[in-house]
Amino acid sequence: MAGGTAVTVLTALMTLSCIAGHWIQTHPKCFFSYPSPLPNADCSHLNLSAVPQTLPSNLYQLDLSYNDIVTITDVSFVRYRKIQILLLPRNTLNRIDGKSFELLRDLRVLYMSYNNISRLPDALFHKNVRLSLLDLSHNRLTEIPNNALGSIRELTLKNNIISLFDRNLLKDTPKLLTLYLRANHLTTISADTFMPETLVRLDISRNPLTCDCSLAWFRNWFQTTNVNISPDNETLCSQTSFKQLVNVPLQEFHPDDFCGIDVQLILGLILGSIMVTCMGLLIYRKRWWLNYKIFLLKLFVLGYKQQEEDRQADDYEYQLNIMCHDDDDDWVHSVLRPAFEERMPHLQRVAYGDEALRVSMYYIDAIYHIVENSYKTVLLLSNHCTDDAWFITKVRVALEHVNETGLDKVILVFLEDIPSERLPYLVRLFLSRDRPNLLWTEDCDGQDLFWAHFEKCMRSNLQINHALPI
């Protein structure tokens, strides 16, 4: 009886020792312990090249450090969905598939330091809503992973090659307490970067920070918050900083001493405004000359491909017919006729006003006759003619002839500005169809442009695509 009792006691003690956490070897390579209802597996230093798939499926903690694992696939942890602590440091990881950790909904701690990771897939930790500690230090990351780390409290990215701090990186991490960015390639942090109110420690030491006015906001920010920027003696301004701040701790950078009113910028803006104003005035003064040159350039580049009338100006009885109000006869004889003789001497048969009408015909018939037998008809518009019934009749006859022939044979010439409400209906109708119209000016450059347009209109009678509804 005494011997049986001893065996029973010994067996009970061995069972209790296992439950208390003593290590026992239950797998050919990995070791397990049972400090809780879920076992811990230690598979470190075994030269493993992949995640073993023969371990218990209810693992609480899995240690795979110091192995030769290169790739984590979408099925690497399918068997171990209850893992809360996963250790993967000191491997040779360089590729992680996008859904590698998707099924680990209880994952709280993940170590992947001292690997060869250069990039993490987008939304890699999107499903790991309980993840609170992530260590990616001593890798080859070039940018900070933005992976919807909603519950993360500690993010370690030391000793990577990160050069850009995404301004929206921390927007979805409202519980972040600690951020380690030591020994990266950060030179600045943009002024609109979001910083969580929960943040208490930020390590950006041994980064080539450029202490200039673009970093002034950051210096003022941590000075007015409870965030601990440490270590102070290693958070230094780089060689690209203001000369007086090179190798000086960031804490000693006082933006007010360097970033006051930028006198050079203000002077530059003033000088720029003066130059723009002067250029505007010069362009306005030379507007007719510029319009003329642009017009010539347009002629050179685009040319003319519209259908033209077969007949030429010499085939008509009159090369040009000038219709005007009686009060404008003086301008016609003192300005227009000399200009034709000087600029367009080839026009030998020009009908000036009513003096060319046939006296043997009724007045209205004579108007029809001269319009039909003229290569072009010019209607001179001024404030004198807007209420004159006979001049409006001449306009109607000229426009009816345009409809009958289907040719653009009428040129409107404004001798002065006429208020739109005073323009006759037929004139407004003519202008609405983008028909040729010119404005006389006393400006010399403007007159050069006027005659250039006039000579263009005289080159041919172009066919029109629609009739005027008169």
Side-chain angles (χ1 to χ4, degrees):
M1 285 294 291
T5 302
V7 171
T8 302
V9 172
L10 180 60
T11 302
L13 289 174
M14 292 178 63
T15 302
L16 290 173
S17 65
C18 291
I19 295 174
H22 294 286
W23 292 96
I24 60 172
Q25 185 173 3
T26 60
H27 186 269
K29 294 184 177 180
C30 301
F31 290 87
F32 301 88
S33 65
Y34 295 84
S36 66
L38 299 178
N40 298 344
D42 183 0
C43 300
S44 61
H45 298 88
L46 298 178
N47 297 321
L48 297 175
S49 59
V51 177
Q53 300 298 316
T54 58
L55 306 176
S57 61
N58 62 338
L59 286 176
Y60 168 82
Q61 175 175 317
L62 176 58
D63 186 354
L64 292 169
S65 57
Y66 291 91
N67 282 293
D68 297 318
I69 300 174
V70 177
T71 302
I72 299 294
T73 68
D74 292 342
V75 296
S76 294
F77 299 106
V78 170
R79 177 178 171 81
Y80 313 114
R81 302 190 181 189
K82 295 184 179 181
I83 288 179
Q84 296 188 29
I85 300 175
L86 180 58
L87 309 178
L88 286 165
R90 299 286 182 177
N91 279 274
T92 55
L93 282 174
N94 59 30
R95 186 171 73 86
I96 302 175
D97 291 345
K99 298 182 180 180
S100 299
F101 306 109
E102 185 173 297
L103 298 177
L104 305 183
R105 303 299 174 86
D106 292 327
L107 186 64
R108 288 171 166 78
V109 176
L110 176 59
Y111 284 89
M112 291 193 293
S113 56
Y114 292 93
N115 280 287
N116 297 321
I117 303 171
S118 58
R119 182 182 177 277
L120 294 178
D122 292 337
L124 177 62
F125 306 111
H126 182 66
K127 300 292 185 179
N128 307 111
V129 295
R130 297 185 179 180
L131 184 62
S132 62
L133 189 153
L134 176 61
D135 188 343
L136 289 165
S137 60
H138 295 272
N139 277 283
R140 298 179 180 177
L141 292 171
T142 57
E143 59 183 12
I144 303 176
N146 188 357
N147 293 290
L149 301 174
S151 60
I152 197 77
R153 292 177 177 271
E154 181 174 321
L155 179 59
T156 303
L157 296 161
K158 297 184 294 186
N159 292 89
N160 280 277
I161 50 177
I162 297 168
S163 59
L164 177 64
F165 193 106
D166 188 337
R167 61 186 181 183
N168 294 319
L169 172 70
L170 306 180
K171 251 186 178 179
D172 297 322
T173 56
K175 299 180 181 180
L176 186 65
L177 298 174
T178 306
L179 177 60
Y180 296 100
L181 289 166
R182 176 184 175 87
N184 276 278
H185 293 176
L186 293 172
T187 58
T188 190
I189 301 175
S190 63
D192 52 355
T193 300
F194 178 83
M195 292 294 185
E197 295 181 357
T198 55
L199 194 64
V200 296
R201 184 175 184 186
L202 175 62
D203 184 355
I204 54 172
S205 60
R206 296 182 58 191
N207 277 279
L209 297 172
T210 299
C211 296
D212 57 12
C213 295
S214 62
L215 198 64
W217 80 272
F218 180 73
R219 176 64 181 85
N220 293 330
W221 169 75
F222 73 74
Q223 189 177 20
T224 57
T225 63
N226 295 324
V227 177
N228 180 17
I229 305 292
S230 60
D232 294 345
N233 60 343
E234 295 186 35
T235 308
L236 307 177
C237 298
S238 68
Q239 297 291 329
T240 56
S241 305
F242 291 123
K243 185 177 181 180
Q244 302 92 320
L245 298 174
V246 174
N247 295 326
V248 172
L250 180 62
Q251 296 276 13
E252 299 181 18
F253 170 35
H254 299 290
D256 293 341
D257 296 339
F258 300 90
C259 304
I261 299 176
D262 193 335
V263 177
Q264 292 183 346
L265 177 61
I266 294 177
L267 289 176
L269 291 175
I270 294 174
L271 291 176
S273 300
I274 294 174
M275 291 181 62
V276 170
T277 303
C278 292
M279 288 294 295
L281 293 174
L282 181 61
I283 291 173
Y284 178 78
R285 185 178 180 83
K286 294 293 182 180
R287 62 190 185 281
W288 295 110
W289 182 84
L290 289 173
N291 285 336
Y292 178 50
K293 295 302 181 182
I294 293 173
F295 170 73
L296 295 179
L297 179 63
K298 182 179 178 181
L299 292 182
F300 175 77
V301 174
L302 300 180
Y304 297 93
K305 298 181 180 180
Q306 295 172 287
Q307 294 183 345
E308 302 175 356
E309 180 188 17
D310 293 334
R311 299 173 66 186
Q312 302 297 319
D314 293 337
D315 298 331
Y316 284 85
E317 180 179 352
Y318 296 99
Q319 296 168 305
L320 186 61
N321 171 33
I322 308 295
M323 287 187 169
C324 62
H325 191 270
D326 293 342
D327 292 341
D328 296 321
D329 281 341
D330 291 341
W331 183 87
V332 170
H333 292 291
S334 62
V335 177
L336 189 62
R337 184 181 292 218
F340 279 144
E341 294 174 354
E342 178 184 353
R343 294 176 178 270
M344 306 176 71
H346 60 282
L347 297 179
Q348 298 295 320
R349 302 190 305 277
V350 180
Y352 292 101
D354 289 349
E355 67 182 36
L357 298 180
R358 294 192 177 186
V359 295
S360 60
M361 303 176 70
Y362 288 109
Y363 188 73
I364 189 68
D365 293 335
I367 293 174
Y368 272 106
H369 175 79
I370 201 168
V371 168
E372 292 172 352
N373 290 279
S374 297
Y375 176 69
K376 289 281 188 180
T377 294
V378 174
L379 297 172
L380 299 180
L381 298 175
S382 66
N383 285 293
H384 300 124
C385 66
T386 55
D387 298 324
D388 186 80
W390 278 114
F391 185 81
I392 302 303
T393 301
K394 294 177 183 179
V395 174
R396 179 177 293 278
V397 171
L399 298 186
E400 286 178 351
H401 184 63
V402 169
N403 282 347
E404 292 172 0
T405 60
L407 297 172
D408 209 354
K409 299 181 66 175
V410 172
I411 305 172
L412 286 186
V413 174
F414 288 85
L415 300 182
E416 57 188 347
D417 287 328
I418 303 176
S420 57
E421 63 272 11
R422 294 199 61 192
L423 283 177
Y425 166 74
L426 291 177
V427 174
R428 294 201 302 270
L429 184 63
F430 183 84
L431 295 174
S432 68
R433 300 304 176 95
D434 197 23
R435 301 271 63 87
N437 62 92
L438 306 173
L439 174 63
W440 178 257
T441 176
E442 298 301 326
D443 185 89
C444 293
D445 290 335
Q447 291 179 13
D448 289 338
L449 181 63
F450 174 90
W451 287 113
H453 279 292
F454 192 92
E455 290 178 5
K456 170 183 174 291
C457 294
M458 288 295 298
R459 289 177 185 173
S460 61
N461 287 328
L462 302 178
Q463 292 186 1
I464 60 177
N465 297 324
H466 52 266
L468 296 170
I470 58 176

